[in-house]
Amino acid sequence: MDEILGQVLRNAVWERLDMLAELANEADSPALISAARSELPRLTQGWRVMLSAHEPDERGDCPTCSTRWHRCKAPCSVWQVAHDHLVAGGLAHFQDSRRTRRLRRAAGPGVSAASSAAPPVPDQPRRVPTPPSGKHALVGGAGR
């Protein structure tokens, strides 16, 4: 049952994000102003709630990302994504991501990060495709 509920919640969030992206790309000015006034406060509050759960503790670890066996130093990936998309305009991950730094260290001295790094990540994150059985997970997907 938790799996079904989780899928329903994920689908609802993806659909809402799709709707907002479509609105931003295709709506006229009055509709955009109306949407901005209603949606921006909700989106900023959602970011605030999520980021507050990832505030570093007294040791400088993220309490949400850390486990009993592995401590995750701040800033965690949630804070890094927030900075990339809210402050740096989605371009910060091209400049010097953790992966690029790790690849540079692994390649050794004298090898540039550009030559050892993987191809750039697209601006939009890849979505997991929704089940082909319909808009909602409960439509034909409960037995999976």
Side-chain angles (χ1 to χ4, degrees), residues 79-127:
W79 273 99
Q80 291 171 13
V81 168
H83 182 270
D84 287 357
H85 291 278
L86 297 173
V87 178
L91 298 176
H93 62 278
F94 289 115
Q95 294 170 358
D96 197 20
S97 67
R98 281 186 173 179
R99 182 176 184 182
T100 303
R101 289 191 301 269
R102 190 170 48 246
L103 289 168
R104 186 183 305 130
R105 280 195 303 269
V111 178
S112 73
S115 64
S116 63
V121 179
D123 287 340
Q124 297 285 331
R126 291 192 58 174
R127 282 189 28 196

Side-chain angles (χ1 to χ4, degrees), residues 6-16 130-131 134-137:
Q7 187 62 48
V8 169
L9 293 174
R10 285 188 299 277
N11 284 350
V13 170
W14 284 123
E15 287 176 16
R16 182 66 171 201
T130 56
K135 262 187 166 177
H136 303 288

Side-chain angles (χ1 to χ4, degrees), residues 5-143:
L5 178 60
Q7 187 62 48
V8 169
L9 293 174
R10 285 188 299 277
N11 284 350
V13 170
W14 284 123
E15 287 176 16
R16 182 66 171 201
L17 290 172
D18 289 343
M19 184 272 303
L20 291 171
E22 185 177 329
L23 181 68
N25 290 328
E26 298 177 13
D28 59 357
S29 294
L32 284 174
I33 291 169
S34 175
R37 286 189 177 137
S38 66
E39 297 297 328
L40 284 176
R42 291 167 43 132
L43 290 171
T44 55
Q45 183 59 27
W47 273 103
R48 290 175 201 273
V49 169
M50 183 173 51
L51 291 172
S52 68
H54 293 267
E55 278 291 322
D57 62 17
E58 63 279 350
R59 293 185 309 247
D61 297 329
C62 172
T64 304
C65 295
S66 294
T67 67
R68 180 182 204 184
W69 309 109
H70 173 73
R71 306 308 301 171
C72 178
K73 283 291 184 197
C76 68
S77 62
V78 172
W79 273 99
Q80 291 171 13
V81 168
H83 182 270
D84 287 357
H85 291 278
L86 297 173
V87 178
L91 298 176
H93 62 278
F94 289 115
Q95 294 170 358
D96 197 20
S97 67
R98 281 186 173 179
R99 182 176 184 182
T100 303
R101 289 191 301 269
R102 190 170 48 246
L103 289 168
R104 186 183 305 130
R105 280 195 303 269
V111 178
S112 73
S115 64
S116 63
V121 179
D123 287 340
Q124 297 285 331
R126 291 192 58 174
R127 282 189 28 196
V128 175
T130 56
S133 57
K135 262 187 166 177
H136 303 288
L138 294 177
V139 179

